[in-house]
Amino acid sequence: MRKNSKEAIVSAAISLFNTRGFSGTSIRDIAGKAKTNPANISYYFDNKHGLLEYCFTAFFEGYIEEIEMGFSLMDQGAALSLKKIAENIMAYQFDNSHLTRLILREISIDSQVVREIMSTYLAKEKFYFSKVLERGLKTKEFRSHSANYMIIQLKGLLSMPFLNTHYMAEVLHVFPHEKYFAEKYTKEIFNWIDGVLCNHHAGKPYAAVL
Amino acid sequence: MRKNSKEAIVSAAISLFNTRGFSGTSIRDIAGKAKTNPANISYYFDNKHGLLEYCFTAFFEGYIEEIEMGFSLMDQGAALSLKKIAENIMAYQFDNSHLTRLILREISIDSQVVREIMSTYLAKEKFYFSKVLERGLKTKEFRSHSANYMIIQLKGLLSMPFLNTHYMAEVLHVFPHEKYFAEKYTKEIFNWIDGVLCNHHAGKPYAAVL
């Protein structure tokens, strides 16, 4: 019962933060939507900032796990490992699309909680990405590149559809919540890895190895 | 004198919206930072929403112009035209980096003004991108692709560094406000066009034509 109430609060908060913005949402609004009382929110999260911090932590704990699962395949090749990481991130963001949208927007604001996330989870993310990119250079799977510029691009490709769900639906008529999208777009990211990052014809095809 | 005051208001608003969020900023805060009085803001923009709408319009008027300048080169080839569009957008966003960051974040919120921007400027942006992509298919410069999925990727690549300036600086130690970055990253986008979109070896090199 208590767990359900906590989940209801988080889910109501994500929905309100996404429509009214973080500052435009009050604890009272969240309590109303979650059908609980404000004191209950204080009990679990202290205040609105605690609630946002909880969302960040919940998102990035799962996110880093997905990266680690792909990273663990590095012995089978850097391209394969990077593709698995990208595939896992896509599936994770697809399964948590509202939370992902909130996080991708809030991470662009310079706040205390964001600085903490950067020095922990995002530093870890960079570590894993850099290791895979280095490895691919060493094995000549990847052509010569600047790791940081590759990370920027990969993160841009992975985040765009989840941050801009309304644009996607209204302007492009592409629906990121549909399974078809996740599959097709994951292939597009594989194309980026093959076309931009890989030495042509040097990599093994993904499907044949996994 | 009056023009300067208007500019001071816009510049103060952009800065505050970027640090405190739109909802977290009051007209009084903006007036304080711009060293003017709240009545002056009402005179020019009615209210805070009018001010945000002004920012959107100012950004997208210039943005679409940059696209049109690249689009006008389409007779010289689709890849060349698309590269020029990307280069122009990069330079424009680089020159207006604070405004760009505000717009890229606010466009992800489902609001009345965003819906209007989508049905005008972003519909126009899609039109130009689609025309160039179609043309490249026809001339066989581009390999077979889904235009919408290419637009998503290109927009992701173009927006990531400007939305996430803090992440770039703090985690990757890459500084989007430096000229070096703009030049190097523009080349990365050319690599994407060549590696993902183009039929290999079919396109003419950019520098040789322009």
Side-chain angles (χ1 to χ4, degrees), chain A residues 101 108 148 153 171-172 188, chain B residues 101 108 148 153 172 188:
Chain A
R101 190 166 150 226
S108 77
N148 286 336
Q153 291 176 65
V171 183
L172 301 183
E188 296 288 349
Chain B
R101 189 166 151 229
S108 76
N148 285 336
Q153 291 176 65
L172 301 183
E188 295 288 349

Side-chain angles (χ1 to χ4, degrees), chain A residues 82-112:
Chain A
L82 192 60
K83 283 177 180 177
K84 193 66 194 162
I85 290 174
E87 189 177 40
N88 289 355
I89 291 177
M90 275 297 296
Y92 181 72
Q93 297 188 150
F94 181 82
D95 288 341
N96 300 280
S97 61
H98 295 290
L99 177 59
T100 300
R101 190 166 150 226
L102 171 67
I103 299 301
L104 291 176
R105 191 172 53 247
E106 289 301 321
I107 203 90
S108 77
I109 292 177
D110 187 26
S111 67
Q112 184 56 35

Side-chain angles (χ1 to χ4, degrees), chain B residues 50-63 92 99 103 113 117 121:
Chain B
L51 193 39
L52 182 62
E53 200 175 326
Y54 177 89
C55 290
F56 267 111
T57 307
F59 177 83
F60 279 108
E61 282 292 331
Y63 180 86
Y92 181 71
L99 177 59
I103 298 301
V113 57
I117 293 294
Y121 297 111

Side-chain angles (χ1 to χ4, degrees), chain B residues 33-127:
Chain B
K33 197 175 170 77
K35 296 194 174 62
T36 184
N37 58 65
N40 207 16
I41 301 185
S42 307
Y43 171 76
Y44 287 122
F45 305 103
D46 262 3
N47 53 33
K48 209 169 55 160
H49 288 275
L51 193 39
L52 182 62
E53 200 175 326
Y54 177 89
C55 290
F56 267 111
T57 307
F59 177 83
F60 279 108
E61 282 292 331
Y63 180 86
I64 294 293
E65 257 177 47
E66 297 296 336
I67 294 182
E68 283 170 345
M69 280 189 289
F71 184 75
S72 69
L73 301 177
M74 201 163 69
D75 288 343
Q76 296 173 47
L80 181 141
S81 172
L82 192 61
K83 283 177 181 175
K84 192 66 194 163
I85 290 173
E87 189 177 40
N88 288 355
I89 291 177
M90 276 296 296
Y92 181 71
Q93 296 188 149
F94 182 82
D95 289 340
N96 300 279
S97 59
H98 295 290
L99 177 59
T100 301
R101 189 166 151 229
L102 170 67
I103 298 301
L104 291 175
R105 189 171 55 247
E106 289 300 321
I107 203 90
S108 76
I109 291 178
D110 187 25
S111 67
Q112 184 56 34
V113 57
V114 166
R115 277 190 293 272
E116 278 162 24
I117 293 294
M118 284 187 182
S119 64
T120 52
Y121 297 111
L122 291 177
K124 224 176 203 175
E125 179 201 38
K126 182 195 173 184
F127 170 82

